Amino acid sequence: MPDRGHSEPGHRGPPLSVSSTDPLADWRLAEEPFYQPVGEEIAGFEAARAARLPVLLKGPTGCGKTRFVEHMAWRLKLPLVTVACHEDLSAGDLAGRWLLDGEGTRWMDGPLALAARHGALCYLDELMEARADTTVLLHPLADTRRALPLERHGELLHAHPDFQLVVSYNPGYQGLHRELKPSTRQRFVALGFDYPEPEVEAAIVAREGGVDAELAMRLVRLAVRTRRLREEGLDEGASTRMLVHAALLHRAGLPVRAAARQSIADPLSDDPQLAPSLRALVDASF
Amino acid sequence: MPDRGHSEPGHRGPPLSVSSTDPLADWRLAEEPFYQPVGEEIAGFEAARAARLPVLLKGPTGCGKTRFVEHMAWRLKLPLVTVACHEDLSAGDLAGRWLLDGEGTRWMDGPLALAARHGALCYLDELMEARADTTVLLHPLADTRRALPLERHGELLHAHPDFQLVVSYNPGYQGLHRELKPSTRQRFVALGFDYPEPEVEAAIVAREGGVDAELAMRLVRLAVRTRRLREEGLDEGASTRMLVHAALLHRAGLPVRAAARQSIADPLSDDPQLAPSLRALVDASF
Amino acid sequence: MPDRGHSEPGHRGPPLSVSSTDPLADWRLAEEPFYQPVGEEIAGFEAARAARLPVLLKGPTGCGKTRFVEHMAWRLKLPLVTVACHEDLSAGDLAGRWLLDGEGTRWMDGPLALAARHGALCYLDELMEARADTTVLLHPLADTRRALPLERHGELLHAHPDFQLVVSYNPGYQGLHRELKPSTRQRFVALGFDYPEPEVEAAIVAREGGVDAELAMRLVRLAVRTRRLREEGLDEGASTRMLVHAALLHRAGLPVRAAARQSIADPLSDDPQLAPSLRALVDASF
Amino acid sequence: MPDRGHSEPGHRGPPLSVSSTDPLADWRLAEEPFYQPVGEEIAGFEAARAARLPVLLKGPTGCGKTRFVEHMAWRLKLPLVTVACHEDLSAGDLAGRWLLDGEGTRWMDGPLALAARHGALCYLDELMEARADTTVLLHPLADTRRALPLERHGELLHAHPDFQLVVSYNPGYQGLHRELKPSTRQRFVALGFDYPEPEVEAAIVAREGGVDAELAMRLVRLAVRTRRLREEGLDEGASTRMLVHAALLHRAGLPVRAAARQSIADPLSDDPQLAPSLRALVDASF
Amino acid sequence: MPDRGHSEPGHRGPPLSVSSTDPLADWRLAEEPFYQPVGEEIAGFEAARAARLPVLLKGPTGCGKTRFVEHMAWRLKLPLVTVACHEDLSAGDLAGRWLLDGEGTRWMDGPLALAARHGALCYLDELMEARADTTVLLHPLADTRRALPLERHGELLHAHPDFQLVVSYNPGYQGLHRELKPSTRQRFVALGFDYPEPEVEAAIVAREGGVDAELAMRLVRLAVRTRRLREEGLDEGASTRMLVHAALLHRAGLPVRAAARQSIADPLSDDPQLAPSLRALVDASF
Amino acid sequence: MPDRGHSEPGHRGPPLSVSSTDPLADWRLAEEPFYQPVGEEIAGFEAARAARLPVLLKGPTGCGKTRFVEHMAWRLKLPLVTVACHEDLSAGDLAGRWLLDGEGTRWMDGPLALAARHGALCYLDELMEARADTTVLLHPLADTRRALPLERHGELLHAHPDFQLVVSYNPGYQGLHRELKPSTRQRFVALGFDYPEPEVEAAIVAREGGVDAELAMRLVRLAVRTRRLREEGLDEGASTRMLVHAALLHRAGLPVRAAARQSIADPLSDDPQLAPSLRALVDASF
């Protein structure tokens, strides 16, 4: 778990004015994020990057989509502006808004406008959760126009040449049973993600969780079993992230079984049928 | 993919006051957009233009409606104010609003009022997604009154003689199962769009994607096959835009098959039945 | 299509203060609107006017209700304040609101209060689309009290003797399946509108569209055929307005058949059954 | 139709400060409203007035509830503050709100607080249409506490001894199928209203509409017939108000039959079955 | 009906600043409220008071819950801050809000914060009508933490030792079919209320309504009969309050039967079956 | 019931500026909260703490989750910022907002940002009640990024190393039938809570309620019986908190049976079947 630094107590973030030295300073990565490639995703992303085409990442939770985007931002030496989408995120939150101070109203770019204006990767996580106005706002940025109409600012913002749009969602889970419209989908190229092969996944768990290869592999085998429970109604099986959690709890002193219960079985489900099955899987594994 | 220029980093858009030099400067096209006519649409538009009748463009996503409007704006030497409609776009977003600054409240025209006051083409993309208040706001602008009541500004804005209204929607897809009311429909003349004939489409793909004619035609044939999948539940087949994406990815170094998966098969669907069919179509094509 | 003048580029509407010279200047008609009477509607309106009773106009879209109100305003030498109703129009939009400027908050009359205070015709188009709060706001203005309570202004506004209320709706189409409440209905007297007789309608089309009488009559016969399609599911047949559009497109150089497709068949429907029927009707007519 | 005076053009209502000379000046009646008693309603109201009990008026639209309240206000020499209830009327609209001006925020009483503070009749018309927060706001004013908590003003307003609350609704029509809660109902005493006896109603029509007794009685007989159509689906039959409208139109020059169509048959219904029946009733009557 | 005094005309409530002399002055009772105990409710309340446990009052409308709280406030010499709950009451209305004036924003405690800060009884009437955010806001005040987080003020308000929370609802009527969550219920101790025994109730009616014991008892017997109509669909039978109303109308000069119709039968129901039954009960009683 | 101190009357909370001495002063615990461990929950929490993993507490209401978090905050010498979640809590309430004062707008951290910036435990109680935007806001704080994007402040807040996130919910009760999304669940490690063993629970009741061991055990036995009523439809049985309430009422002078009715039977249910059963259980116990 890389140390990413933190704000000094008392630090209150960048001043309002975005025209100061580096408006994207908060969003530059301080060190290289560990990422283990699982296929041709890096080549695919780089081809899309060359043509400045927007990219859609599809895959289950906790399989590394966010880490992959961080990795690509590091490789491309680009700042990374991340937005977690949800149903109450308005187009105004993304585009920007007017603030009032003693000298009148002042415009503050939202994260999407900030990234487009100054040339960052803009990553919208869980796009399927966003409202219609948020996704439609992306359309003119995501085709050859590469422009963001800021109606409320009276500006048509032409994107910086370094700007690129990346979005993700989990096709296996649909909170509000939404769908992306064809006119949105067809503006993106897509990269599919899935859980890595067992050997690759165990290497990740060993490295990120600080445990030996054998325990890592036993955790991966447990995860594979939980993923089969989807057929019995479990929303999703254990992700790689959960395995890392189990390893970290064990390193912090918990017995493996208690660590796996606490990080895998108990968070996964409250269902009266599934919860005991998950506990039994843990007990059979350790 | 024409270069449309971009904002300088640090540039913060036009100042608030719209009465300065050219309030429509952002919305003037810098160079001629490539457009390949597919029927009598240019003559149809010019007749409507002569009578200043509002125009409705109907057709599937990615078949060139937006590019056509850009082309007409270029031919007519008019600025083009584009608005992407969605369910959270309010009448106030289109008409304008009061801003507060140190000297009091100041009125800022919305994009529709801006276009009507100064004489631009105003293009409302995906009108079917807009709310009732947005479409009703268009009524007095779209008949012989050619006026926009700005209740909040206490003004009845009479449109500039150069102003013209253009709207579009995709009749094959209805996000919220809305319909346009007869009183809206009957104010417009309509131009229908569809995918171009294969030879025309291949020429567009070759030109925009920078690939040779033979590969362009193979991509078009793949697109035609995906369009037949609508009968099996696919929302929409591959658009011309997607074919251009595939060509661009290939030019950036990906093998054709990987490029076509990434730009056509994978974005089109997450359906457990349809997604493998799309991949199989790609694999059979290259 | 009468020229109604337009705002000078750069003109920004009347200043906020409504107490200046003529607060209704924007709403005075500059020239006489053409109107062809189709029955006793002028006598009916004048009797209601004599008693200052509010008037309800009922009829299909595009048959001339708005033009009739403009004509009556011209005859009566009254300014005409028009509001297009929709579900997001609030009582505050009609009644007025507080604006904030450097010297504090200032009240700005909405269009209804403006018309009531200074003595205009106030025309609410498509009243059925308005929300409950909008229609209830009309009640004390629409009975013998002739008063508008402006709760937010702390004022009971007594209407000017010249003020009169006119509303319209289309009983054949109900967007949101609303109904007017009896307590609203019973405050109005009603005038019914319908498409004019063929000879009258052809005369209108010839005059407004600038074509000869024979072509005008052929367009009217086409319209009559489309109106019969209501029994097969068409929301509404072609209005007189659409026929004028066809005539104008033809005058601008399109062949009659293309003009009629573009202005009549294509805007009327996207239905897979009805759209071809409409095109066939056009082709059989010209 | 009594002349109630009107605002001078340019008059802008009372200034914001309610502490000036007479904060209820707008709400004092200038002359005696005509009211024809139909039962013991005046004695019933006066007994409730003596005990300061809140009064609920029940009855169909247009039968004189509002006029009765005006009459009682005149008899009791009290100002009358009227509020038309609707679903968008908030508790804040009734209670009051903070306004901002150059010297800070200033509180402005809403109509209910104004009436409670200075001692007026407060009449809430169509209470059933109001939201829950509006009706609950009345509870402490409508029991022995006679107080209005103005949470946003930080004040518990104790009502003036002259203050009394009157509300009305139409039990035969329920727009949103709401009901008054028992805890609201049980705070009021109720007076029921209905259409007057034919002789009484004809006298009202003759007086208010300025026609002779015989025509007035024929209009009343027509109204009685329309009221029987409720069994066939008509929301409500013709009210006394509609008969006055017919008389006024006739006095303004329309033939009786045309006047009755315009003021009675056509406003009452758009139903394809009921509308012709209503016209036939008119034609059979004159 | 005790005289509770009233505001002087022109008085505008306490100034904004709550730190002045006595921020709870408006909420102190001026004289002892009459309350007739019907069981062990006073002892139950005093035990809860000793342990500062929050109290839940359950019972039908008009049976004396509010009067009981007033009585306990008088006994305990505590100010009583009352809030009528409804679905539009926000957590911000209860907790407080920022006000803007010439010197900037200023915090004004809402009624709940005011009571908690300065040590009053806080009585939330009809809690079941409140929204989730209102009830959840009570949780930390209603357990051993006795604290109110004022997120918007950046403060964790620790309650004054004199503060106590009282809420009420009517379990027999559920406007919006809501339920209190177990996590809310389990924080309160409960006291049940019902209509008093006939002799007790008659004594209350005689005292509060100013009539003799025999008439009071006849009114109580009528009430008992109406309460049996709940089985036939009546929401609630006549409350003690309604009987007091009947007595007051009679004292003001109405015959008993008219007084009972106006205060009991007519307010209780508009139902076409129940309303005549209620009138018949009245007529059979007097 | 520990005395937690209280605000002085007239004290108005910390000043707005959070950069003053100790922005978390309100949230530091003044004395050690009593907590009786019931399993391995302390070791589990400490392992999660060592790895700074976010913790999810699951269990019924009133079984000690909140007290456990207070206890851990005391052990870890950390301030504890608690937020009660509900459906109207917006992301802006948690993250912070702009306030306006005489010198312009000023940012005020919400409780989540405050805890993240300065290094506190942040406890979100009843997370299942929160809206989507609230839970999604937690995602980047709850994985290795440990960052909170404050879009409206233009800041990416990196969490202080001492910051840790704790959330709770009751899996047995789902107010709005919501579920936590897998992408939320999988970011947390979970600790399950339940009612303690009878002996442990009796010890807690004796200590917190100030009664002897025998009465405490009789109260626990009564609670166990009520918990079995869940099978007959009771939402939840009596919690430990309710038993403490009964003990406190008894100590304040009520007979045990009255105390148990008032604190256990009557608050638990209004159901016509269950309420008498609960009373009967009480009467059979004492």
Side-chain angles (χ1 to χ4, degrees), chain E residues 143-190:
Chain E
D143 59 32
T144 58
R145 290 175 286 174
R146 285 179 65 81
L148 176 62
L150 301 173
E151 282 94 357
R152 295 181 184 177
H153 191 221
E155 177 189 3
L156 182 71
L157 168 62
H158 296 283
H160 189 284
D162 287 345
F163 170 75
Q164 191 180 6
L165 193 59
V166 186
V167 306
S168 73
Y169 69 92
N170 176 355
Y173 179 80
Q174 293 179 8
L176 296 169
H177 306 283
R178 284 176 183 137
E179 289 211 337
L180 288 181
K181 296 194 302 176
S183 59
T184 304
R185 289 180 169 280
Q186 300 211 1
R187 280 170 160 88
F188 287 84
V189 301

Side-chain angles (χ1 to χ4, degrees), chain F residues 56-139:
Chain F
L56 181 67
L57 310 180
K58 311 199 296 190
T61 190
C63 73
K65 299 188 298 294
T66 296
R67 190 65 71 85
F68 171 67
V69 179
E70 293 182 322
H71 180 73
M72 293 310 300
W74 177 263
R75 282 173 79 101
L76 298 166
K77 298 188 183 0
L78 288 174
L80 173 64
V81 176
T82 298
V83 180
C85 296
H86 54 79
E87 60 182 310
D88 297 302
L89 185 80
S90 71
D93 289 330
L94 281 179
R97 63 185 64 246
W98 291 98
L99 293 175
L100 179 66
D101 67 13
E103 292 134 59
T105 45
R106 199 166 13 168
W107 175 259
M108 187 169 74
D109 276 340
L112 183 63
L114 191 72
R117 195 184 299 282
H118 301 286
L121 279 193
C122 187
Y123 176 46
L124 301 178
D125 193 16
E126 306 210 37
L127 183 66
M128 206 88 107
E129 302 291 321
R131 294 192 313 214
D133 62 331
T134 306
T135 48
V136 165
L137 191 68
L138 303 178
H139 284 193

Side-chain angles (χ1 to χ4, degrees), chain C residues 53-83:
Chain C
L53 294 177
V55 178
L56 180 66
L57 310 180
K58 313 200 294 190
T61 190
C63 73
K65 299 188 297 295
T66 295
R67 191 64 72 84
F68 171 67
V69 179
E70 293 182 323
H71 180 73
M72 294 310 301
W74 177 264
R75 281 174 79 103
L76 298 166
K77 298 189 183 359
L78 288 173
L80 173 64
V81 176
T82 299
V83 180

Side-chain angles (χ1 to χ4, degrees), chain A:
Chain A
M1 199 172 51
D3 177 5
R4 286 156 193 274
H6 63 275
S7 306
E8 288 300 302
H11 167 80
R12 305 222 0 237
L16 258 187
S17 161
V18 297
S19 61
S20 68
T21 47
D22 179 2
L24 291 171
D26 271 350
W27 284 273
R28 295 190 189 279
L29 296 165
E31 49 184 274
E32 180 170 1
F34 169 69
Y35 179 72
Q36 175 71 50
V38 296
E40 300 301 312
E41 70 270 25
I42 293 181
F45 192 100
E46 287 179 338
R49 173 75 194 167
R52 292 295 186 275
L53 294 178
V55 178
L56 181 67
L57 309 180
K58 312 199 296 189
T61 190
C63 73
K65 298 188 298 294
T66 295
R67 191 64 71 87
F68 171 67
V69 179
E70 293 182 322
H71 180 74
M72 293 310 300
W74 176 263
R75 281 173 79 102
L76 297 166
K77 297 187 182 3
L78 288 173
L80 173 63
V81 176
T82 299
V83 181
C85 296
H86 53 78
E87 60 181 310
D88 297 301
L89 184 80
S90 70
D93 289 330
L94 282 179
R97 64 185 65 244
W98 290 98
L99 294 175
L100 179 67
D101 67 14
E103 292 134 59
T105 45
R106 197 164 17 167
W107 175 259
M108 187 170 74
D109 276 341
L112 183 63
L114 191 71
R117 195 183 299 281
H118 301 286
L121 280 193
C122 187
Y123 176 45
L124 301 177
D125 195 15
E126 307 209 36
L127 182 67
M128 206 89 106
E129 303 289 322
R131 294 193 312 214
D133 63 330
T134 306
T135 48
V136 165
L137 191 69
L138 303 178
H139 284 193
L141 265 179
D143 59 32
T144 57
R145 290 175 287 175
R146 287 179 63 82
L148 177 62
L150 301 172
E151 282 93 359
R152 295 182 184 176
H153 191 220
E155 176 190 4
L156 181 72
L157 168 61
H158 296 284
H160 189 283
D162 286 346
F163 170 75
Q164 191 180 6
L165 192 61
V166 186
V167 306
S168 74
Y169 69 93
N170 176 356
Y173 179 79
Q174 293 179 7
L176 296 169
H177 306 284
R178 284 175 184 141
E179 288 210 338
L180 289 180
K181 296 193 303 176
S183 59
T184 304
R185 291 179 168 280
Q186 300 211 3
R187 280 171 159 88
F188 287 84
V189 300
L191 292 172
F193 283 75
D194 208 341
Y195 304 116
E197 290 298 303
E199 290 70 26
V200 176
E201 190 166 20
I204 295 171
V205 172
R207 190 195 136 105
E208 299 248 324
V211 294
D212 63 39
E214 192 254 330
L215 177 55
M217 184 51 86
R218 284 166 68 200
L219 286 165
V220 169
R221 284 198 204 104
L222 171 59
V224 170
R225 280 182 215 112
T226 66
R227 290 165 194 166
R228 290 188 196 124
L229 287 177
R230 289 199 60 168
E231 285 150 33
E232 296 174 39
L234 188 64
D235 276 339
E236 289 211 356
S239 62
T240 313
R241 172 187 289 138
M242 285 185 136
L243 306 185
V244 175
H245 287 177
L248 290 168
L249 288 183
H250 178 56
R251 271 195 54 194
L254 285 195
V256 185
R257 182 183 285 192
R261 280 186 165 209
Q262 190 168 326
S263 63
I264 298 173
D266 287 0
L268 273 180
S269 180
D270 308 318
D271 183 273
Q273 315 295 327
L274 290 168
S277 304
L278 286 162
R279 287 212 156 203
L281 281 183
V282 167
D283 293 354
S285 300
F286 301 102

Side-chain angles (χ1 to χ4, degrees), chain D residues 201-214 216-217 244 247 251:
Chain D
E201 190 166 20
I204 296 171
V205 172
R207 189 194 137 105
E208 299 248 324
V211 294
D212 62 39
E214 192 254 331
M217 183 51 84
V244 175
R251 271 195 55 196

